[in-house]
Amino acid sequence: MAHHDLAIVGTGSGNMIVDDRFDGLDVAHVEATRFGGTCLNVGCIPTKMLAYTAEVAETVRAASSYGVDARIDRIRWSDIRDRVFARLDPIGDEGRDHRRDHGTVYDGTARFTGPRAMTVDLAGGGTAEFTADRIVLAVGGRPVVPPPVADSGVPFHTSDTIMRIDELPEHLAIIGGGYIAAEFAHVFGGLGCEVTIVESAGTLLGGMDETVVERFTDAARERFTVHTGRTVEKVTGGEGDVRLHLDDGTEVRADRLLVAAGRRPNSDRLDPDQAGVDTDDAGRVVVDAHGRTTADGVWALGDISTPHPLKHVANHEAEVVGHNLAHPDDLREVDHGSVPAAVFTTPQIGSVGRTEQQCREEGLEFRVGFHEYADVAFGWALEEQRGFCKVLVAPDGTLLGAHLLGPQASTMVQQLVQAMALGVTAERLAHVQYWIHPALTEVLENALRDAVEEDYN
């Protein structure tokens, strides 16, 4: 049986760990699919490349409102798709080749057979076994498929497959109302497809700030057919004719079905109990502040263990775990304070910290600063009527949270992320710097002033 000094199971953010700090060690990497993980292959990066393409198409359609007459002659889906994956696929291939040239690569799915002992079901057939002094679990998560879909026998897609289809659907039905559903609705709607969303909750993006939720749900209803507060009881039909039977008797017919009803950690595929690796009720591997699991010598990071399944969080955790593996006498801790997030839709969303409803639920004393995009000069240029910035500020000026909806929200929120990370108060942030006029960032300035200046109007 092979033995390694270090084994990395999963090559998304896990692939960031091994660098020259580990020269001289026998290192193995295990990957069940493509090197690069969810983000590179089926998640963050390809979806954002497609989301921007959809935004370009939407800009052309809306050009007449600015006095520019334009039209879209054709959507070349195969060219759009191939532009994305012709750039991304070689990155994963190069990553695999590099690791193979500098260590061992197991192409397959790993599972524990004992403490720091694993078997890999190889993609090409057969198995391989190994032990390791230290193992890092970074195998991510996968889409949840509700039983009415899974048991139906009707063809469906998830985020793992929908971006590589050969032809655009005329009508795409989406089950789910979270950020993945929202982004794919934007992509396919922007490229000219009819989109229907079915969400069991009463709104879309239910975990976000209440003002974001309200305005985004209203915006989605203007663009798509949206059924909120409804569940799918049965799925019938077949290839090219999918039928969703909702609990209120409504039938939704579409030629393709996308299931975006959440994700779950891949911990169950690892047989973690065989190694003494504990998981919580949500299936996440239990880790301490340093990234260590309950099993000696086994570490975990990313979507398999974090309560924040976001790529930038996984990258941060990989940095911490990598340092701790290289410097066991100087352990660092993971920092999950003020984790930002963005949703790349129209309208775009940027968010960090507590929501307004969380502040109320925690019984915090706070002030709300609020400003509309429509009330700053660049908002006029954009003809933006729905966008806003909201900041939540404690009596001592501490920023508790910030939420933006509208153009460039994912970029503009970063200044507020930085302020929260550095402990800059809302008053100092509003007053200590110049705010470029008439840049869109004036919406941040005015929201901050609204929160800290009693006489602001």
Side-chain angles (χ1 to χ4, degrees):
M1 181 185 299
H3 180 79
H4 305 287
D5 298 317
L6 174 64
I8 312 293
V9 187
T11 62
S13 294
N15 199 36
M16 298 173 53
I17 292 175
V18 177
D19 53 24
D20 56 10
R21 296 172 297 182
F22 301 92
D23 286 351
L25 296 186
D26 183 322
V27 177
H29 286 81
V30 184
E31 177 52 57
T33 56
R34 296 187 62 87
F35 260 61
T38 296
C39 178
L40 180 67
N41 296 296
V42 296
C44 324
I45 298 176
T47 55
K48 303 322 171 273
M49 294 177 74
L50 292 177
Y52 180 73
T53 303
E55 183 179 333
V56 170
E58 291 178 341
T59 301
V60 174
R61 292 192 190 96
S64 62
S65 63
Y66 304 94
V68 178
D69 292 330
R71 70 169 187 261
I72 296 173
D73 290 331
R74 187 158 58 102
I75 298 291
R76 304 194 311 274
W77 167 251
S78 61
D79 289 346
I80 293 169
R81 177 200 61 197
D82 294 348
R83 179 183 79 89
V84 172
F85 293 108
R87 176 182 288 268
L88 301 183
D89 287 350
I91 297 173
D93 295 340
E94 290 165 7
R96 175 178 268 105
D97 291 343
H98 174 77
R99 292 307 186 192
R100 187 171 281 131
D101 290 342
H102 295 84
T104 302
V105 172
Y106 296 101
D107 292 313
T109 302
R111 51 189 168 82
F112 283 106
T113 56
R116 284 174 286 165
M118 306 195 85
T119 290
V120 182
D121 296 319
L122 299 172
T127 61
E129 297 181 348
F130 68 83
T131 57
D133 293 334
R134 294 177 293 178
I135 295 175
V136 178
L137 307 177
V139 296
R142 64 185 186 273
V144 172
V145 180
V149 178
D151 298 339
S152 70
V154 175
F156 66 91
H157 287 277
T158 68
S159 54
D160 288 352
T161 60
I162 191 68
M163 289 182 282
R164 293 185 186 255
I165 58 177
D166 292 327
E167 295 180 353
L168 286 174
E170 291 185 12
H171 185 178
L172 177 67
I174 301 176
I175 298 176
Y179 71 93
I180 295 174
E183 290 189 347
F184 279 117
H186 162 66
V187 167
F188 288 99
L191 296 179
C193 306
E194 181 182 353
V195 174
T196 297
I197 300 171
V198 180
E199 164 60 16
S200 59
T203 60
L204 305 180
L205 301 181
M208 304 201 82
D209 182 85
E210 58 195 16
T211 312
V212 170
V213 168
E214 178 184 359
R215 294 204 183 186
F216 182 83
T217 302
D218 288 345
R221 291 190 192 281
E222 292 179 9
R223 296 183 64 195
F224 317 120
T225 300
V226 178
H227 299 274
T228 52
R230 301 271 67 91
T231 58
V232 177
E233 293 193 332
K234 184 171 64 172
V235 180
T236 61
E239 186 72 41
D241 182 19
V242 178
R243 304 181 187 191
L244 307 182
H245 303 270
L246 309 189
D247 60 347
D248 65 349
T250 301
E251 180 183 272
V252 175
R253 295 186 66 174
D255 51 315
R256 285 191 188 270
L257 171 61
L258 170 64
V259 177
R263 295 178 63 84
R264 61 163 298 168
N266 281 329
S267 57
D268 56 317
R269 296 179 173 177
L270 290 168
D271 289 345
D273 54 312
Q274 296 293 316
V277 174
D278 289 349
T279 57
D280 64 17
D281 291 341
R284 292 189 295 260
V285 170
V286 176
V287 293
D288 66 11
H290 307 293
R292 297 175 296 196
T293 73
T294 54
D296 184 46
V298 181
W299 306 66
L301 62 92
D303 291 6
I304 194 173
S305 57
T306 185
H308 305 283
L310 300 164
K311 176 61 172 175
H312 43 278
V313 174
N315 285 350
H316 165 68
E317 293 173 353
E319 289 182 2
V320 172
V321 169
H323 170 87
N324 291 342
L325 289 168
H327 305 282
D329 296 325
D330 179 30
L331 297 180
R332 294 179 181 171
E333 294 188 353
V334 169
D335 179 7
H336 286 156
S338 302
V339 174
V343 184
F344 292 79
T345 52
T346 300
Q348 203 175 93
I349 298 165
S351 179
V352 61
R354 292 176 176 86
T355 64
E356 185 172 353
Q357 58 267 35
Q358 286 174 329
C359 289
R360 289 196 303 267
E361 290 165 1
E362 293 178 30
L364 300 178
E365 187 177 348
F366 65 99
R367 292 190 63 185
V368 178
F370 193 89
H371 206 79
E372 304 273 1
Y373 276 47
D375 292 333
V376 298
F378 205 83
W380 306 341
L382 296 172
E383 297 289 346
E384 175 59 39
Q385 299 300 314
R386 185 171 269 119
F388 69 90
C389 174
K390 174 196 278 191
V391 293
L392 308 167
V393 181
D396 64 357
T398 300
L399 278 164
L400 301 173
H403 309 279
L404 291 96
L405 178 143
Q408 303 175 36
S410 64
T411 300
M412 293 215 299
V413 75
Q414 192 65 47
Q415 184 167 168
L416 299 170
V417 175
Q418 184 179 48
M420 292 176 70
L422 297 178
V424 178
T425 65
E427 183 174 17
R428 180 165 174 77
L429 185 61
H431 295 137
V432 77
Q433 61 184 320
Y434 280 102
W435 293 87
I436 296 172
H437 178 77
L440 192 54
T441 47
E442 286 184 316
V443 76
L444 305 183
E445 175 194 15
N446 291 336
L448 290 164
R449 288 179 179 273
D450 185 39
V452 301
E453 297 180 10
E454 294 286 351
D455 58 351
Y456 178 87
N457 56 58

